Amino acid sequence: MHLTSLSVWAATWLAGQTIALDLTVSKTGGNASSPLLYGIMFEDINNSGDGGIHGQVLRNNGFQGTSPGLTAYAAVGNVNITQDTSNPVSSAITSSLKVSVPSGTTGYVGFANTGYNGVPVLATTYSNSFYIKGAYSGTVNLRLVGTSSGIVYADHNITVTSTAAKFTSYETSFESSQADDANNEWQLRFDASKVAGKSLNFGLVQLFPPTYKSRTNGLRNDVASFLAEIKPSFLRFPGGNNLEGASPSNRWKWNETIGAVVNRPGRQGDWTYANTDALGLDEYLYWCEDMGMEPVLAIWDGLSLGGGIVTGSALNPYIDDVLDELEYVLGSTSTQYGALRAKNGRSEPWPVKYIEIGNEDNESDGCSTYASRFTAFYDAIHAQYPDLTIITSTTSSSCLPTTLPDGVMTDIHHYLSPDSFVAQFDEFDNYSRDHPILVGEYASTTGNDGSTTYWSYMQGSCAEAVYMIGLERNSDVVQMASFAPLLEHFDLAEWSPDLFGLDSSPDSITGSTSYYVQKMFSTNRGTTILPVTSSGDFGPVYWVASVSDEQVYYVKLANYGSTAENVTITVAGTTHGSLELLTGGETVSNYPHDISITPTTSTVSGNGTFKVSLPAWAVAVLAVS
Ligand code: AHR
């Protein structure tokens, strides 16, 4: 702190008054800001994929993972239901649901699926499909019903002609009215008198409310739209730990996540539950295309979470597998895998430019072998695709090759307490500019006392904002940054905190305080970071200024402190704009079904000078022109 400002600050501190801070934004100088700075990271954790952003809302529809059992299924009427492995739907979906009807049964009977702790029942149109095997000609009745209330929200009949020889698939759509809560189920019923004393088999039941951009097998429109409000620039996927697998054979396998969903076997994910992989490689890339995001595709590099790291020549099949994956993504339709992509509905190659080799190879005993594993993958990929930007999964120099090839980016992750994030404000101020940085995962996950954070609260979100201000000030070298994890199903979360969440009740989507910080920072971006002269040093107020190509000046501010601060901001030549403000007490948080803080926006005007009253624990963005 400068001596003169020290005395002013000391005097006001002693007087118990708020401190005035003057910031003058220079209109010249500064450094370029990465256009990709604010993005998102996604893996299926907390049922954020199945039961989260993916549009299909019925659970256990492929009996996948290590112990599917009859999870989410229930008999409707006088029937017996069992998992039937002797009637697989396909070579990938190796079980179906057998519905046995006792002799003499009449009326409509069948089975229910209760989704991911309820089926979201909205006033909208649903697409519904299922497979059926067994002799049956007649009506199949599809319903959305309150599990406890018995209220019928949707009731739809189709005519089915099924034989015992093979599975036949049916697809239909119907309208529903909205339920009050999540306690709902989907039912499939048929005429018991036609099946009495016999059984029918059903498989791969699928139910979709409207999808984002109306994609087939797409994302839930309401969830994806809420996410798109952040305007993220990139998507890092598919993990995270969920890339790695408990063993090499259990890793995320790109070629088992493509094509018709009935041909995807799914896997036991790394976050304790089965992944259907209906959200697969192509769906991730459509997601990127539909939200205007740059894909950052992570590939498996020999490290799995249960030990058994693959090294040396044993890596060769996995390297070949990655080259096949890249041919699928990038190859022309005259290549083997490019042709497969076209067969799966996408002729044009995907515009993938960033490949990350592994995930957190500084962890899980990966460090000592990462340099050689990275080099093996890098050499093979770079030889065929010299224009791809390759990313290391760690910045730890002890895990990296002594000399990293030019153009390689490095990924760093931080899960910290609020104070620790603030201490990292200047992390990149004097950092080497030799290799660009991806901050691929970060979040304030504990309180300063070490307690686990359940949902982000203002102190932690302010600390993240302070850190992000540090990133933006250094966004010549920090090219991408993403909070993690992104999303949780409230009832099915393994990790907290998460950026936003939902359950199966209407209007459940909840943004954390950190979601709003991400949104404020991402939707107010300049192209050049501008120098700022100040009457005081950083802390408790932190700031960064930028200007866009359209000559809008942005000043981002965070007050990581318990007293209000008055800030006077001068940007010569500007006259008007807006101030977006997120504030609440130090421990104030949004919770599932209890949103107490969202940003407010006010208009501002001035003759090049704007006065901002920054409450305690506040994040603000001034945008003026
Ligand atoms: O974001 C949750 C987990 O944290 C990620 O899967 C992993 O990369 C990190 O350790």
Side-chain angles (χ1 to χ4, degrees):
M1 188 178 283
H2 306 291
L3 270 182
T4 45
S5 48
L6 177 64
S7 55
V8 174
W9 281 61
T12 47
W13 175 257
L14 287 171
Q17 295 167 359
T18 57
I19 296 160
L21 177 68
D22 295 330
L23 303 177
T24 302
V25 177
S26 168
K27 299 186 88 170
T28 56
N31 52 267
S33 177
S34 166
L36 300 179
L37 183 59
Y38 297 116
I40 54 176
M41 184 267 173
F42 181 88
E43 65 179 322
D44 207 324
I45 179 174
N46 310 308
N47 278 98
S48 56
D50 292 320
I53 198 165
H54 187 253
Q56 204 290 111
V57 294
L58 303 181
R59 190 176 188 182
N60 195 22
N61 65 354
F63 295 92
Q64 289 139 320
T66 50
S67 51
L70 287 175
T71 301
Y73 290 104
V76 175
N78 181 30
V79 296
N80 182 39
I81 60 170
T82 50
Q83 179 188 349
D84 185 355
T85 52
S86 57
N87 279 293
V89 181
S90 66
S91 57
I93 305 295
T94 55
S95 290
S96 59
L97 185 77
K98 183 173 182 178
V99 183
S100 305
V101 183
S103 300
T105 308
T106 57
Y108 270 72
V109 296
F111 65 98
N113 186 295
T114 52
Y116 294 89
N117 285 21
V119 171
V121 171
L122 312 168
T124 192
T125 306
Y126 285 82
S127 303
N128 197 180
S129 61
F130 60 90
Y131 284 75
I132 178 172
K133 184 178 177 187
Y136 184 78
S137 289
T139 299
V140 163
N141 173 244
L142 304 165
R143 304 202 302 180
L144 292 173
V145 180
T147 300
S148 303
S149 68
I151 296 171
V152 177
Y153 300 101
D155 192 342
H156 179 65
N157 288 337
I158 63 169
T159 303
V160 161
T161 308
S162 164
T163 71
K166 63 174 177 54
F167 274 98
T168 309
S169 67
Y170 284 90
E171 190 169 355
T172 186
S173 63
F174 56 77
E175 299 293 317
S176 176
S177 56
Q178 180 164 311
D180 289 338
D181 58 23
N183 189 17
N184 310 299
E185 61 192 41
W186 169 86
Q187 294 181 349
L188 185 154
R189 302 185 309 154
F190 53 86
D191 184 348
S193 65
K194 297 186 176 192
V195 192
K198 293 178 286 190
S199 60
L200 292 174
N201 279 69
F202 295 89
L204 197 65
V205 294
Q206 297 186 79
L207 180 70
F208 285 87
T211 57
Y212 190 61
K213 309 276 183 187
S214 303
R215 290 272 176 217
T216 302
N217 188 33
L219 308 178
R220 254 180 74 172
N221 186 47
D222 49 358
V223 183
S225 298
F226 188 75
L227 175 62
E229 287 178 28
I230 293 180
K231 296 200 174 151
S233 290
F234 69 89
L235 173 68
R236 174 175 174 254
F237 70 97
N241 292 150
N242 205 38
L243 168 72
E244 296 170 55
S247 65
S249 64
N250 181 241
R251 71 194 188 280
W252 185 88
K253 296 185 188 127
W254 70 275
N255 56 338
E256 294 187 357
T257 75
I258 57 171
V261 173
V262 73
N263 296 324
R264 304 184 193 183
R267 61 184 272 266
Q268 182 68 19
D270 287 279
W271 292 103
T272 71
Y273 58 91
N275 293 175
T276 66
D277 287 333
L279 175 55
L281 179 57
D282 285 305
E283 287 76 24
Y284 281 118
L285 293 165
Y286 281 119
W287 177 1
C288 290
E289 190 162 277
D290 290 344
M291 285 191 196
M293 299 184 290
E294 202 71 62
V296 177
L297 172 60
I299 55 102
W300 192 80
D301 70 348
L303 178 70
S304 59
L305 292 171
I309 297 171
V310 182
T311 58
S313 60
L315 271 180
N316 292 345
Y318 300 101
I319 293 172
D320 290 345
D321 187 53
V322 167
L323 294 177
D324 292 346
E325 179 179 6
L326 294 182
E327 185 176 287
Y328 182 85
V329 170
L330 298 166
S332 81
T333 53
S334 62
T335 63
Q336 179 186 353
Y337 291 104
L340 179 60
R341 183 193 65 240
K343 186 167 159 253
N344 290 340
R346 173 76 184 198
S347 301
E348 201 186 331
W350 291 109
V352 171
K353 300 185 201 130
Y354 296 89
I355 302 293
E356 180 160 3
I357 297 182
N359 175 63
E360 290 188 345
D361 283 271
N362 52 316
E363 308 273 358
S364 313
D365 296 327
C367 184
S368 61
T369 53
Y370 187 60
S372 62
R373 289 184 289 115
F374 171 82
T375 303
F377 279 95
Y378 176 89
D379 287 350
I381 296 170
H382 187 68
Q384 283 200 30
Y385 302 98
D387 294 335
L388 288 178
T389 297
I390 309 292
I391 307 172
T392 66
S393 74
T394 174
T395 53
S396 251
S397 57
S398 60
C399 313
L400 296 176
T402 316
T403 307
L404 269 184
D406 283 348
V408 167
M409 288 179 72
T410 61
D411 182 3
I412 191 166
H413 298 174
H414 285 312
Y415 294 106
L416 301 171
S417 69
D419 280 356
S420 304
F421 262 120
V422 173
Q424 292 287 349
F425 167 69
D426 60 357
E427 180 178 21
F428 297 107
D429 283 2
N430 300 303
Y431 207 88
S432 159
R433 263 51 189 167
D434 289 349
H435 294 279
I437 302 284
L438 159 66
V439 184
E441 298 177 25
Y442 68 95
S444 179
T445 48
T446 61
N448 289 328
D449 62 0
S451 57
T452 301
T453 298
Y454 166 48
W455 267 65
S456 303
Y457 52 94
M458 275 313 292
Q459 187 191 43
S461 299
C462 272
E464 289 158 7
V466 170
Y467 182 65
M468 291 161 75
I469 286 171
L471 299 182
E472 193 166 319
R473 279 164 44 80
N474 288 284
S475 56
D476 56 326
V477 65
V478 181
Q479 297 206 343
M480 306 182 197
S482 41
F483 183 103
L486 182 70
L487 173 60
E488 69 172 49
H489 186 300
F490 301 146
D491 309 329
L492 301 168
E494 299 85 30
W495 182 289
S496 65
D498 304 294
L499 197 62
F500 73 113
L502 54 75
D503 62 19
S504 297
S505 56
D507 303 322
S508 67
I509 299 171
T510 303
S512 67
T513 48
S514 296
Y515 166 90
Y516 291 106
V517 170
Q518 292 291 324
K519 183 174 168 185
M520 288 167 70
F521 275 41
S522 179
T523 55
N524 293 288
R525 295 195 223 181
T527 45
T528 304
I529 306 303
L530 296 170
V532 177
T533 50
S534 63
S535 61
D537 234 344
F538 289 117
V541 177
Y542 295 80
W543 60 86
V544 62
S546 63
V547 62
S548 70
D549 293 339
E550 295 76 30
Q551 299 300 298
V552 178
Y553 290 83
Y554 298 103
V555 181
K556 291 172 178 153
L557 300 157
N559 181 9
Y560 185 74
S562 52
T563 50
E565 306 290 342
N566 290 324
V567 186
T568 303
I569 299 169
T570 301
V571 189
T574 59
T575 56
H576 66 283
S578 63
L579 179 73
E580 213 174 335
L581 182 65
L582 182 73
T583 185
E586 184 173 2
T587 59
V588 174
S589 181
N590 289 335
Y591 292 113
H593 302 287
D594 183 11
I595 299 171
S596 52
I597 312 187
T598 56
T600 55
T601 304
S602 53
T603 55
V604 295
S605 58
N607 191 11
T609 297
F610 304 88
K611 291 190 181 305
V612 176
S613 296
L614 208 51
W617 310 109
V619 178
V621 181
L622 180 76
V624 290
S625 54

